[in-house]
Amino acid sequence: MRFDLRPVPPAVFSLVGQLAAHGHRAWIVGGCVRDALLQRPVADWDLATDAPPDALLRVFPDAIPTGLQHGTVTVVRDHTHYEITTLRGETTYSDGRRPDTVHFVDDITADLARRDFTINAIAVDPANGDVIDPHGGRRDLAARTIRAVGDARARFAEDGLRVLRAARFCATLDFDLEAATHAAIAPTLSTFAKVSAERVREEWLKAMRARRPSRAFEVMRETGMLGITCPELLEGVGMQQNKWHRFDVWTHAMACMDACVGDPVLRVAALLHDVGKPRTRAFSDKTKDWTFYDHDRVGAEIVAPICHRLKFSNDECARIEALVRHHLFHYDQWSDAAVRRWIRRVGKHRIEDLFALNEADTRGKAPSIEAEDLDPLAQLKTHVARVLAQGAALSVRDLAVGGHDLMRQFGRPPGPWLGAMLDHLLEAVTNDPTLNERDRLLQQACALDSGRDRPNSP
Ligand code: ATP
Ligand code: MG
């Protein structure tokens, strides 16, 4: 069977033509061949060539030397990046991360032999669509199987990233690990442990783009990878919950993450939202059931170091921590003031995230839920929209008086009293938005100042 060259962008053929004009051959190879054969969208079309790196720079003087020591350059055509890599042979790895030396070859089959999985080790001759598939990659694509090229244990022992990619592909492709490939992970975890936190985070985020990221995280759990990168999550494995939940803590986290509609970082928050449950579980003699008091607060404390450890950006850490902290709410005919207070507490910019997380949390409680289980969330959404449309003050910046007004009113320099006073006023306005007028607020401020609960004055 020939490879269907029709979806290949014209720029790829023109790059191949430029190489040919200098006497070099090139093949389409790697993830793009895999994805095209699966009829999935192709992200990047990559080429492998027998042109050595110095020749690549002569053929493409405008190339960006993205990884020249590994033989890779990037060429930009029509605003699209194309990676062109010199054929490489097998090499030794002594640090479990990078090859000690890179040696270049002129044989495509030698290059395919150093690739990680059979489905990623298929090359296509762009001249005629001939497929070079020495490791049975097409057979494994058809069987939806991830199988290491060559001896899985040896391949995983040389480069720790491969096992993580294996888990990620299980999710993104919805494939299974072949038995020997699966069995080779546990014995090579010491190599996996050397993978940088950044790479772990990147693979997590890639897995989060799958329909069911849980496929990757189940592989990570079964094989011991998760015990290295996030042991906190394992505490919930097999931990029974209460009558509201059909699943144990771990399975619920998986179901919630899969049900969560949103960007990858939001799904990381879904994965971690109940990480505080194992450490807060207690049996209630009154209800004769398990309770998890404060698991949202404890969870936020547990999740902060996890996010920093995995080198999420400060904004991402803050977002994940806030979502874990505020994920727990049960709307039940709240007053307008209660809705305003909730918005103030969680932050207006987190509302949409919390709605998505809450829906996923509900959907993740059982294999299937009743339609009315989502009613409280729908009611909260309507109520929040109404309250926001009223334009009531939600932060001290929205108050009709500012710090300068208060300093002038009381003839005092700025100090802690000022923030405390503004907070009091915001609280008063949250309860009664009609107070948010300059004169009424100044009156209220004077009453507070002379009252017994006078905020700390200088
Ligand atoms: P994606 O782009 O979706 O992450 P991909 O398979 O294209 O998947 P890349 O990182 O773009 O991944 O790598 C391109 C190709 O390089 C892979 O298809 C594979 O053949 C090879 N490769 C990548 N990483 C490794 C590795 N750690 N060990 C061996 N071969 C690898
Ligand atoms: Mg790729």
Side-chain angles (χ1 to χ4, degrees), residues 30-32 34-35 43-44 46 93 114-117 120-121 155 159 161-162 165 168-169 199 203 206:
C32 52
R34 174 198 72 216
D35 290 339
D44 310 292
D46 299 329
Y93 289 67
R114 61 100 189 159
R115 291 176 183 267
D116 50 5
F117 302 108
N120 292 341
R155 304 309 307 287
D159 177 0
L161 183 61
R162 291 174 183 155
R165 283 170 54 87
R168 187 249 293 185
F169 286 128
R199 295 308 296 262
E203 293 296 324
K206 285 185 179 181

Side-chain angles (χ1 to χ4, degrees), residues 239-245 249 273-302 324-325 327-328 330:
M239 177 176 277
Q240 193 198 328
Q241 305 202 60
N242 50 34
K243 64 175 184 216
W244 306 105
H245 281 267
V249 174
H273 77 286
D274 273 348
V275 76
K277 274 189 169 172
R279 298 187 200 173
T280 54
R281 190 168 87 137
F283 196 77
S284 159
D285 286 325
K286 214 163 100 202
T287 61
K288 300 276 179 273
D289 208 349
W290 294 104
T291 61
F292 301 93
Y293 290 125
D294 242 9
H295 77 267
D296 40 350
R297 190 186 54 74
V298 172
E301 279 169 15
I302 297 172
V324 173
R325 177 70 189 92
H327 78 270
L328 200 63
H330 304 282

Side-chain angles (χ1 to χ4, degrees), residues 24-91:
H24 299 296
R25 298 194 64 189
W27 293 264
I28 305 168
V29 70
C32 52
V33 174
R34 174 198 72 216
D35 290 339
L37 289 171
L38 287 171
Q39 300 192 339
R40 295 166 59 92
V42 172
D44 310 292
W45 291 92
D46 299 329
L47 288 172
T49 176
D50 60 6
D54 52 333
L56 271 179
L57 288 180
R58 279 197 302 276
V59 180
F60 303 109
D62 57 343
I64 310 162
T66 31
L68 204 58
Q69 66 284 25
H70 302 114
T72 302
V73 299
T74 302
V75 183
V76 185
R77 294 287 181 271
D78 311 327
H79 309 288
T80 306
H81 286 64
Y82 296 94
E83 275 196 358
I84 309 176
T85 304
T86 306
L87 298 174
R88 285 160 48 179
E90 290 206 65
T91 122

Side-chain angles (χ1 to χ4, degrees), residues 28-203:
I28 305 168
V29 70
C32 52
V33 174
R34 174 198 72 216
D35 290 339
L37 289 171
L38 287 171
Q39 300 192 339
R40 295 166 59 92
V42 172
D44 310 292
W45 291 92
D46 299 329
L47 288 172
T49 176
D50 60 6
D54 52 333
L56 271 179
L57 288 180
R58 279 197 302 276
V59 180
F60 303 109
D62 57 343
I64 310 162
T66 31
L68 204 58
Q69 66 284 25
H70 302 114
T72 302
V73 299
T74 302
V75 183
V76 185
R77 294 287 181 271
D78 311 327
H79 309 288
T80 306
H81 286 64
Y82 296 94
E83 275 196 358
I84 309 176
T85 304
T86 306
L87 298 174
R88 285 160 48 179
E90 290 206 65
T91 122
T92 52
Y93 289 67
S94 45
D95 69 353
R97 301 198 214 191
R98 277 170 298 263
D100 298 334
T101 53
V102 175
H103 76 103
F104 300 113
V105 298
D106 56 10
D107 174 8
I108 181 68
T109 51
D111 179 88
L112 295 176
R114 61 100 189 159
R115 291 176 183 267
D116 50 5
F117 302 108
T118 61
I119 58 169
N120 292 341
I122 309 172
V124 168
D125 185 339
N128 50 20
D130 273 353
V131 178
I132 304 149
D133 181 15
H135 305 284
R138 282 170 300 179
R139 173 202 62 206
D140 287 336
L141 282 176
R144 306 184 77 76
T145 297
I146 313 282
R147 181 197 308 270
V149 169
D151 178 44
R153 196 156 158 176
R155 304 309 307 287
F156 291 167
E158 58 190 26
D159 177 0
L161 183 61
R162 291 174 183 155
V163 295
L164 193 57
R165 283 170 54 87
R168 187 249 293 185
F169 286 128
C170 287
T172 55
L173 303 176
D174 211 358
F175 276 28
D176 286 311
L177 286 181
E178 172 268 333
T181 302
H182 189 286
I185 298 180
T188 56
L189 285 177
S190 59
T191 308
F192 168 65
K194 297 178 189 163
V195 173
S196 73
E198 288 85 350
R199 295 308 296 262
V200 171
R201 183 199 61 225
E202 287 312 308
E203 293 296 324

Side-chain angles (χ1 to χ4, degrees), residues 354-426:
L354 285 169
F355 287 163
L357 180 57
N358 188 261
E359 175 167 346
D361 198 359
T362 302
R363 290 189 186 280
K365 283 190 164 63
S368 68
I369 61 163
E370 307 293 331
E372 63 259 32
D373 293 344
L374 291 168
D375 285 352
L377 176 62
Q379 288 159 9
L380 176 62
K381 286 182 181 177
T382 310
H383 200 162
V384 165
R386 195 168 73 231
V387 160
L388 288 178
Q390 289 161 355
L394 295 167
S395 80
V396 292
R397 267 168 306 161
D398 304 330
L399 291 174
V401 296
H404 284 290
D405 302 311
L406 297 176
M407 287 190 284
R408 213 173 308 120
Q409 173 83 12
F410 295 105
R412 282 189 210 131
W417 69 275
L418 192 57
M421 175 81 80
L422 287 164
D423 285 344
H424 270 77
L425 294 179
L426 179 59

Side-chain angles (χ1 to χ4, degrees), residues 198-216:
E198 288 85 350
R199 295 308 296 262
V200 171
R201 183 199 61 225
E202 287 312 308
E203 293 296 324
W204 276 33
L205 293 177
K206 285 185 179 181
M208 292 303 178
R209 298 194 182 280
R211 194 171 68 81
R212 285 196 295 146
S214 64
R215 301 222 41 189

Side-chain angles (χ1 to χ4, degrees), residues 212-225:
R212 285 196 295 146
S214 64
R215 301 222 41 189
F217 284 85
E218 287 290 4
V219 169
M220 293 182 211
R221 177 186 63 76
E222 286 159 17
T223 56
M225 278 188 251

